[in-house]
Amino acid sequence: MDDIDIEDQPLEVQWNHLLDKLETMIGKRPADLNGVLFLIGVQELGQGAKRFTKEQKQDLMHIGICKVLSLSSYYVLEYTDSDGWPHYRLNRALPVGDILKQENLLKMHVLEYFRL
């Protein structure tokens, strides 16, 4: 299945295709959405792969969430601190929904992030 066809597939098919591509790129398949958000956070931090504390890992997932949701202007990059960490602010309210709707919203934005 090529990338043109994949966009016409259901969300879960697109998601699994992305996980396959990430496994090829980094040598390990992300376990879940949080794993992918962590990878995006590391990418956006731009300091390469290194050891992070548990708190830093949570911060990196938050950066990943903010970055992907910034594609729809939910978040806006406010500044980058002296250590190179990006800081976002909420720009508009997120849609209300159950955990599955929230997860699907994030997955759709993650897929868009990797298309850019």
Side-chain angles (χ1 to χ4, degrees):
M1 196 178 307
D2 63 29
D3 289 331
I4 295 169
D5 293 338
I6 197 68
E7 292 182 27
D8 296 329
Q9 298 299 314
L11 179 61
E12 283 308 307
V13 173
Q14 293 183 54
W15 183 252
N16 284 316
H17 180 72
L18 173 64
L19 294 181
D20 291 343
K21 284 175 65 173
L22 290 172
E23 182 176 15
T24 301
M25 289 168 53
I26 63 172
K28 182 180 177 188
R29 186 180 178 94
D32 56 17
L33 175 58
N34 286 337
V36 178
L37 292 169
F38 171 76
L39 290 174
I40 292 169
V42 170
Q43 173 72 25
E44 292 302 314
L45 181 60
Q47 297 179 2
K50 61 180 187 178
R51 293 221 177 265
F52 295 102
T53 66
K54 184 177 180 179
E55 184 179 329
Q56 287 173 323
K57 288 177 181 178
Q58 290 174 327
D59 291 343
L60 287 163
M61 282 191 287
H62 181 71
I63 290 169
I65 289 168
C66 291
K67 176 59 184 181
V68 298
L69 292 179
S70 74
L71 299 175
S72 291
S73 301
Y74 289 111
Y75 285 89
V76 175
L77 178 63
E78 205 163 34
Y79 67 96
T80 303
D81 68 22
S82 59
D83 293 325
W85 287 72
H87 292 263
Y88 289 82
R89 70 172 166 77
L90 186 63
N91 189 48
R92 65 185 178 109
L94 293 166
V96 177
D98 62 23
I99 194 77
L100 183 61
K101 284 185 180 176
Q102 291 175 6
E103 185 174 294
N104 286 342
L105 177 73
L106 282 169
K107 284 181 176 180
M108 288 185 296
H109 282 82
V110 166
L111 289 165
E112 181 64 23
Y113 173 87
F114 281 102
R115 280 189 197 111
L116 298 177

